[in-house]
Amino acid sequence: NAGVMQNPRHLVRRRGQEARLRCSPMKGHSHVYWYRQLPEEGLKFMVYLQKENIIDESGMPKERFSAEFPKEGPSILRIQQVVRGDSAAYFCASSPNLMAKQFFGPGTRLTVL
Amino acid sequence: KNEVEQSPQNLTAQEGEFITINCSYSVGISALHWLQQHPGGGIVSLFMLSSGKKKHGRLIATINIQEKHSSLHITASHPRDSAVYICAVTPFYGGSQGNLIFGKGTKLSVKP
């Protein structure tokens, strides 16, 4: 059973471009969580999704950021018009239900030039 | 004040020592998590607990709900235990219980 997969592992974008981060949860997991870790800072919750639904997006910036978890395919975190301050490690985690342990992916390191 | 506080921030130990990392939180929770972040950045969930004590190999996690405090212990520490250990809680308040609130982490270095 493969773990949580994220791709790409490293992503470089210039200011103003779009970044698309993908997360494939573990098999059988329908709950996906996205977290951001800014340089030298702790992890922060961004958004929690269950298949086709956004359950909690209270940690996601109101502009430029969006997330989806379609019926088929991976969850996508999309950042439009990236700025230097978006440079961070973005981690995805999944769980089979809300109260179960979360399993983390290896993260995507986004660098904005 | 952060909702999840960890101490110490940094910890250096000699191989074989018994290690304790502490976590205090100020919100009502449904669960507390201990995570390990390796130098390469990957994150592993070590424990999820809501009461009592859990043990896995040389790692022990305890929680005192009344005192809003948890400890992570490592017995017979080894250099491969060197990592950042992160405490996180699943809060009760508002919205969903799907998000975690993280402490800033404790950086552990175990010297041979």
Side-chain angles (χ1 to χ4, degrees):
Chain A
N1 189 5
V4 178
M5 314 260 292
Q6 287 189 250
N7 68 79
R9 296 289 303 276
H10 299 273
L11 181 61
V12 179
R13 285 287 178 265
R14 296 193 179 278
R15 280 180 297 170
Q17 291 185 319
E18 178 179 287
R20 279 186 180 238
L21 287 62
R22 292 175 187 78
C23 169
S24 296
M26 285 181 70
K27 189 176 179 181
H29 289 194
S30 58
H31 298 247
V32 166
Y33 316 83
W34 284 95
Y35 302 98
R36 178 164 70 172
Q37 188 172 40
L38 292 166
E40 305 303 320
E41 291 191 24
L43 287 153
K44 297 274 191 240
F45 165 77
M46 297 183 75
V47 61
Y48 158 44
L49 309 102
Q50 203 179 347
K51 275 291 185 183
E52 300 185 88
N53 294 304
I54 295 175
I55 307 299
D56 183 350
E57 57 182 350
S58 59
M60 202 146 73
K62 296 285 187 284
E63 297 179 355
R64 303 187 298 108
F65 286 72
S66 62
E68 61 177 13
F69 187 16
K71 189 176 179 183
E72 301 291 338
S75 176
I76 307 282
L77 179 67
R78 182 182 176 207
I79 312 172
Q80 295 178 288
Q81 298 175 316
V82 296
V83 300
R84 289 224 173 99
D86 296 332
S87 295
Y90 293 81
F91 290 93
C92 161
S94 74
S95 67
N97 60 67
L98 181 57
M99 297 313 296
K101 186 170 83 167
Q102 295 182 21
F103 291 81
F104 284 77
T108 292
R109 276 140 191 89
L110 172 66
T111 302
V112 179
L113 302 177
Chain B
K1 186 179 186 298
N2 294 327
E3 290 163 306
V4 180
E5 297 274 3
Q6 285 185 240
S7 64
Q9 276 187 293
N10 293 283
L11 181 56
T12 300
Q14 286 299 128
E15 184 173 356
E17 284 185 2
F18 179 85
I19 287 161
T20 296
I21 299 170
N22 295 299
C23 175
S24 297
Y25 53 92
S26 57
V27 295
I29 67 169
S30 57
L32 182 140
H33 309 252
W34 282 102
L35 311 171
Q36 180 192 52
Q37 187 166 26
H38 297 286
I43 298 172
V44 174
S45 179
L46 298 174
F47 296 104
M48 176 179 169
L49 64 167
S50 54
S51 65
K53 176 178 170 178
K54 285 191 176 180
K55 184 175 190 290
H56 182 69
R58 295 179 295 106
L59 301 177
I60 303 166
T62 64
I63 187 168
N64 184 319
I65 296 292
Q66 286 72 32
E67 294 188 5
K68 295 188 174 177
H69 181 269
S70 174
S71 293
L72 176 69
H73 304 286
I74 306 175
T75 61
S77 60
H78 190 276
R80 65 174 174 266
D81 296 326
S82 298
V84 176
Y85 291 84
I86 302 168
C87 173
V89 300
T90 305
F92 272 135
Y93 60 66
S96 75
Q97 294 180 43
N99 67 65
L100 295 181
I101 303 173
F102 296 87
K104 293 191 174 180
T106 295
K107 187 172 181 180
L108 172 65
S109 178
V110 181
K111 307 291 186 191

